[in-house]
Amino acid sequence: MSTFKKTTLALALAGATLATTAQANEVEVLHWWTSGGEARAANVLKELMEAEGYGWQDFAVAGGGGETAMTVLKSRAMSGNPPSAAQIKGPEIQEWGELGLLGDLNDVAEAEGWDELLPDVVADIMRHDGQYVAVPVNVHRVNWLWANPEVLDAAGVEMPTTLDELFEAGEAIREAGFVPLAHGGQAWQDATVFESVLLGGQGSEFYQQALVELDPEALGGEQMIDALEDFKRTRELMDEGMPGRDWNVATAMVIQGVAGFQLMGDWAKGEFTAAGLTAGEDYLCAAAPGTEDAFTFNIDSLAMFRVSDDEEREAQQALARLVLEPTFQEAFNLAKGSIPARPDLDMSEFDSCAQQSLADFQRTAEEGGLVPSMAHGMAVRADIQGAIFDVVTNYFNDADMPAEEAAERMVSAAEAASF
Amino acid sequence: MKNTSATPLGAGAKRSTPSGGLQAWLPRLVLAPSVAISLFFVYGFMLWTFVLSLTSSRMLPSYDFVGFGQYARLMANERWWVASTNLMIFGVLFVVVCLVIGALLAILLDQKIRQEGALRTIYLYPMALSFIVTGVVWKWLLNPQLGIQAMVQGWGFESFRFDWIVDPDMAIYTLVIAAVWQASGFVMALFLAGLRGIDDSIIKAAQLDGASLPRIYLRVVMPCLRPVVFSAVMILAHIAIKSFDLVVALTGGGPGYATDLPATFMYAHAFTRAQIGLGSASAMLMLGGVLAILIPYLYSELRSRKHG
């Protein structure tokens, strides 16, 4: 009897050790790629990992902007049990890094030559304290103008390349009986239009000063007032049913030919593709008016949490390496509408909008003009971003607030938000 | 009956007077876990929220104390004042309008009419819906290009305008409309139960004395319904302070943040803007608001018991 007991105990122990080793070379990845195309794209990564003999534990949390996922992640981190990788982006990577929770990826980065592969602006975001802690998955361009060519023909206008042309074209489209600019009145959408208009009217240098460096002189100065006034003018191009409208409903207005234009990031392309439309024929894409030489980026990335187990660490490094490999980059970005994070990829599979996007990305990375998107959490910390959102959306919706007052509030928003 | 109380263990089920030690302790023992759990999870967490509101916590809770700095920041925050003012407007209008409509409906239904059951169900039905559903339905009804305005304009009244939901100054009133639509049936049910509880003979006596019907309701019935009014106000005030889902579904806080309420303010700051300290401070002020209603209520309840 006692020998039997010993054997079972030994077996159980062996089983337990086996189980832990099985767990050790596994990665648990928290992400919110839960829509059809995204889930398929995430699956590519899972298969690549499994092909190399690593386990993949999926930790998908539904909910568009990842707010739910971030709440779940915070509770896991607080209980001392974070997943090995999580979809964290922009300055938030720095916040997690400051909490000392992120592990470094320097070995992979060195072996794969990330320093040469990634544009500096991108690489900087992936580093905390000079150490690589995250790996970029894709690059979204935010400053896009989408258009319905039939509406443009009916109104007799071309794709606008400057803000003035946009307002003129808008007038003609309204006279032809269409909504000039489709928009959804949510704070982040207001901010998306605002940053594109600011970039188009004032240029990327000013954008950098105001919305990235939060320079009080830029935030409260003449140029900001001009930008705010341009922004308010776009309101005249919108219909009154916009408050609370979702962005994809606004995109649908362009698809159905109710509206002429929409200013929205390249995730809008997913809607056009899903409706069976072809880029360049059934719908048009161009840089937001006045921003041909600029590129507002929104980069999704996977940050790696600090793990003690060597094998788990090895799995993490493998994950980081595979994310930047061409197979995944191509499959994922074709599904997501974005462009690859590594600019050296063969783009023949991608549509004309994505090809233009990548070309602009490379060009602006070299010539300047590549700026992080404030509206999408790439430029400033979440609290400052929130305070700017409040000013932008309040000014946009308040018919009586002068641009001067909004500019003053912009300055105090940037100051008051941090503690 | 007397012989059944001989065994203390079996006596629990038999409604005898408590005598044995175990019997006296049993209810406490049974309740102890739930009391401990609620002490920890309700009051413990309230305390924790208060502690957090004194720290500079941003993304994760930290224990870097900054005194009442977060409260000072909150007081300087323009959006918080919008949210608080909105709560005052929304709360007062919501409670008053619900009471008036609920009482009127109850009095009308109390006139011994046919099909009362069916009518009661119709009025009470909105209460069965979640605020999310109410919010979405009213969002469509109030949308100037889909709902009421478009419909009336379609009838030929081109100049008709009903675009409150897109007007930052009026949007808060659309919240009142939707919330009243949802809750007044419930107030009606409360009043109806109260009306049915009033002794007929009092009303008959008043009628014999020659009092008119409105007079009877005003002078005889309403004073009898004071406890009902009080409970209704309590419940409605709580609904108003806790309102979150309705705002999210109906206006999303917009246009801009014109329809923000403290609950949505707190959620946005604590959970999406990495401002746990500020969010906790706003939560504590909301708790203060609830207590300001609850304490007078408890006080009056306890006093009336004593005088009983």
Side-chain angles (χ1 to χ4, degrees), chain A residues 239 381 383 390 394 397 417, chain B residues 58 73 79 145 168 256 275:
Chain A
D239 62 315
R381 265 180 8 210
D383 51 343
D390 280 351
N394 198 25
N397 287 291
Chain B
R58 291 198 300 130
R73 277 183 70 202
R79 182 170 166 179
Q145 291 179 326
Q275 291 278 290

Side-chain angles (χ1 to χ4, degrees), chain B:
Chain B
M1 281 299 273
K2 257 197 168 175
N3 61 345
T4 53
S5 63
T7 50
L9 268 176
K14 285 172 187 159
R15 288 182 171 222
S16 64
T17 51
S19 52
L22 182 63
Q23 209 166 15
W25 280 99
L26 200 60
R28 293 176 207 192
L29 273 177
V30 171
L31 285 178
S34 59
V35 169
I37 287 170
S38 62
L39 270 182
F40 181 72
F41 283 104
V42 178
Y43 299 98
F45 277 62
M46 273 185 201
L47 195 69
W48 194 38
T49 308
F50 178 63
V51 170
L52 285 180
S53 75
L54 301 177
T55 66
S56 64
S57 303
R58 291 198 300 130
M59 199 165 70
L60 291 179
S62 76
Y63 296 96
D64 165 30
F65 288 93
V66 292
F68 286 89
Q70 298 283 15
Y71 292 87
R73 277 183 70 202
L74 196 59
M75 292 299 123
N77 189 322
E78 210 246 351
R79 182 170 166 179
W80 169 253
W81 288 110
V82 171
S84 305
T85 320
N86 278 344
L87 180 62
M88 292 301 292
I89 298 173
F90 173 69
V92 170
L93 281 178
F94 170 62
V95 171
V96 171
V97 178
C98 269
L99 280 181
V100 171
I101 292 181
L104 273 178
L105 284 176
I107 290 170
L108 293 178
L109 265 186
D110 196 33
Q111 306 305 318
K112 306 202 168 53
I113 48 173
R114 272 189 295 163
Q115 298 297 329
E116 191 204 305
L119 285 171
R120 214 170 44 201
T121 316
I122 291 171
Y123 290 132
L124 198 52
Y125 185 69
M127 195 67 192
L129 298 177
S130 100
F131 266 121
I132 291 285
V133 179
T134 309
V136 172
V137 168
W138 278 97
K139 181 173 157 182
W140 290 338
L141 282 176
L142 294 168
N143 186 306
Q145 291 179 326
L146 291 175
I148 298 168
Q149 176 178 319
M151 188 179 70
V152 176
Q153 284 181 352
W155 289 342
F157 302 96
E158 292 290 337
S159 59
F160 177 82
R161 291 197 74 75
F162 184 53
D163 56 355
W164 287 7
I165 201 166
V166 300
D167 181 347
D169 296 325
M170 300 302 286
I172 184 71
Y173 301 105
T174 63
L175 282 183
V176 178
I177 294 174
V180 164
W181 178 83
Q182 167 117 345
S184 49
F186 167 68
V187 179
M188 175 207 74
L190 282 181
F191 271 98
L192 203 55
L195 286 172
R196 295 283 150 86
I198 293 172
D199 194 347
D200 257 2
S201 55
I202 307 176
I203 299 172
K204 293 239 169 69
Q207 275 172 338
L208 279 180
D209 284 343
S212 65
L213 198 62
R215 205 177 167 79
I216 292 176
Y217 270 106
L218 216 62
R219 291 291 168 85
V220 182
V221 176
M222 277 302 164
C224 294
L225 290 179
R226 266 192 56 186
V228 177
V229 175
F230 213 74
S231 329
V233 170
M234 284 301 301
I235 294 166
L236 293 175
H238 272 203
I239 295 178
I241 292 179
K242 288 189 299 192
S243 281
F244 176 82
D245 34 9
L246 182 65
V247 186
V248 170
L250 183 65
T251 62
Y257 50 79
T259 52
D260 207 20
L261 289 181
T264 50
F265 178 94
M266 183 259 158
Y267 180 82
H269 284 79
F271 298 114
T272 62
R273 290 194 180 174
Q275 291 278 290
I276 287 181
L278 192 71
S280 304
S282 68
M284 289 317 290
L285 291 189
M286 279 169 68
L287 178 68
V290 174
L291 289 182
I293 299 174
L294 201 63
I295 287 172
Y297 174 66
L298 284 177
Y299 180 71
S300 74
E301 274 287 285
L302 293 175
R303 215 175 53 156
S304 64
R305 287 266 168 75
K306 239 182 251 166
H307 290 273

Side-chain angles (χ1 to χ4, degrees), chain A residues 376-401:
Chain A
H376 296 277
M378 299 303 296
V380 288
R381 265 180 8 210
D383 51 343
I384 297 173
Q385 183 201 15
I388 294 179
F389 272 26
D390 280 351
V391 178
V392 167
T393 188
N394 198 25
Y395 164 74
F396 194 54
N397 287 291
D398 186 343
D400 304 323
M401 194 195 289

